[in-house]
Amino acid sequence: MSSGAPRGLIGVEATDPAQRPPVLVVPDPLTFADVPLLCERLRGLYGAGADLVVCDLAALSRADLAAVEAVARLRLTARRAGRRVRMRGAGAGLVALLELAGLGSDLA
């Protein structure tokens, strides 16, 4: 995905962040070039008032370094914004890689 926005990048389950946190859907396939776009979308959700955003990793078919980079950068983006992010739906292979990288906390 070298041009344009990634397919299926974001889905919002609720428009009112006070009721339910919005969900950022991580696309498959995921490349390193997609990571800044994901972070931009996350900042946009925070700018719209969300304090917590759930990142859905369930669509990822491969556990690779691009996925690890995405998780690390999304968490850093949340920290810099003073907000929270929670990862959900990671497959067993990605969970293992994240744990090896020290990023296994906050997985749902």
Side-chain angles (χ1 to χ4, degrees), residues 2 6-7 29 44 46 48 56 60 78-79 84 86:
S2 58
R7 295 167 287 162
Y46 292 144
D56 189 345
L60 293 177
R79 188 175 318 146
R84 298 177 299 144
R86 183 177 308 137

Side-chain angles (χ1 to χ4, degrees), residues 27-48:
D28 186 64
L30 178 68
T31 68
F32 286 103
D34 296 325
V35 176
L37 297 170
L38 285 167
C39 293
E40 181 180 325
R41 297 286 176 97
L42 182 60
R43 283 189 295 274
L45 290 169
Y46 292 144

Side-chain angles (χ1 to χ4, degrees), residues 13 20-21 23-25 54-59 86-91 106-108:
E13 290 184 355
R20 217 161 142 201
V23 176
L24 179 71
V25 178
V54 175
C55 291
D56 189 345
L57 306 170
R86 183 177 308 137
M87 305 295 159
R88 78 170 182 205
D106 296 331
L107 293 172

